[in-house]
Amino acid sequence: MAEVSRDSEAAERGPEGSSPEAVPGDATIPRVKLLDAIVDTFLQKLVADRSYERFTTCYKHFHQLNPEVTQRIYDKFVAQLQTSIREEISEIKEEGNLEAVLNSLDKIIEEGRERGEPAWRPSGIPEKDLCSVMAPYFLKQQDTLCHQVRKQEAKNQELADAVLAGRRQVEELQQQVRALQQTWQALHREQRELLSVLRAPE
């Protein structure tokens, strides 16, 4: 019972052995550091009081013959076990990208506190909850589509204006061609008339 009491007190003090009052109430501990502190606390409990005694009970006869060797074996075993656990935790953090995920979670929570608005909670009515969640999404999609439609309509109007301007330019060119053709035909008639006058006998 005394051991259980000591473990409870150690858990309340935290990984560094300090009481909760040592940390300000408004202080926010990053979750990455909190995870490291939990791992450190776990590793510290591996070498807690009477852990060596429990170890020697498994090798009672060997301990009675060589207590110093048993102590060295225990120390080496604990050191290797702690190192192995730290390496496993590091691999898990790297594979799961836990540091970035936990930092992102801290950022989301901090932004939520700064916003000051209550978090969304289901009302218990599926239809109402669905509308409250999906309606803003569909309204946003509607605004996006309307913006795209207006943008496309403006682009189509520009293309239509360009087509009309091109048609007017073609019509003007056709008129110029007809005018030049008429002028050329008039000159050709005058030339023939002049030649006929010059060829007429005196």
Side-chain angles (χ1 to χ4, degrees), residues 119-133:
W120 181 85
R121 294 291 185 274
S123 64
I125 304 175
E127 296 83 358
K128 183 178 179 180
D129 295 337
L130 183 62
C131 290
S132 65
V133 173

Side-chain angles (χ1 to χ4, degrees), residues 179-195:
L180 291 173
Q181 185 178 8
Q182 292 174 359
T183 302
W184 181 83
Q185 290 176 351
L187 290 174
H188 184 64
R189 285 195 300 270
E190 291 178 357
Q191 184 180 12
R192 285 190 301 176
E193 292 175 356
L194 180 59
L195 289 175

Side-chain angles (χ1 to χ4, degrees), residues 163-174:
V163 170
L164 292 176
R167 288 179 179 177
R168 286 193 295 268
Q169 187 176 7
V170 170
E171 291 176 356
E172 291 176 358
L173 290 174
Q174 288 177 347

Side-chain angles (χ1 to χ4, degrees), residues 49-192:
D49 294 340
R50 297 184 60 187
S51 62
Y52 176 70
E53 296 178 6
R54 291 193 293 269
F55 178 80
T56 56
T57 56
C58 299
Y59 307 96
K60 185 179 299 183
H61 297 291
F62 182 79
H63 174 63
Q64 292 175 353
L65 295 174
N66 297 289
E68 295 180 357
V69 175
T70 305
Q71 180 68 48
R72 289 197 297 269
I73 292 174
Y74 169 77
D75 294 339
K76 186 174 182 179
F77 168 75
V78 170
Q80 291 180 348
L81 181 60
Q82 290 178 336
T83 301
S84 177
I85 292 174
R86 290 185 185 277
E87 291 176 353
E88 290 289 339
I89 295 296
S90 297
E91 290 180 2
I92 292 173
K93 289 170 65 176
E94 291 178 0
E95 292 177 358
N97 198 19
L98 289 183
E99 185 171 354
V101 172
L102 293 176
N103 289 335
S104 177
L105 179 60
D106 290 336
K107 184 178 180 181
I108 292 173
I109 293 176
E110 189 64 26
E111 290 176 352
R113 290 175 179 174
E114 293 176 356
R115 185 165 55 248
E117 298 178 357
W120 181 85
R121 294 291 185 274
S123 64
I125 304 175
E127 296 83 358
K128 183 178 179 180
D129 295 337
L130 183 62
C131 290
S132 65
V133 173
M134 299 303 295
Y137 170 77
F138 285 124
L139 290 175
K140 184 177 180 180
Q141 292 296 318
Q142 183 180 8
D143 293 339
T144 302
L145 291 175
C146 290
H147 176 72
Q148 293 294 334
V149 169
R150 289 192 296 269
K151 185 177 179 180
Q152 188 63 40
E153 288 177 347
K155 186 176 181 180
N156 292 341
Q157 186 62 42
E158 292 179 359
L159 293 175
D161 294 340
V163 170
L164 292 176
R167 288 179 179 177
R168 286 193 295 268
Q169 187 176 7
V170 170
E171 291 176 356
E172 291 176 358
L173 290 174
Q174 288 177 347
Q175 292 176 0
Q176 292 177 4
V177 169
R178 284 194 294 268
L180 291 173
Q181 185 178 8
Q182 292 174 359
T183 302
W184 181 83
Q185 290 176 351
L187 290 174
H188 184 64
R189 285 195 300 270
E190 291 178 357
Q191 184 180 12
R192 285 190 301 176

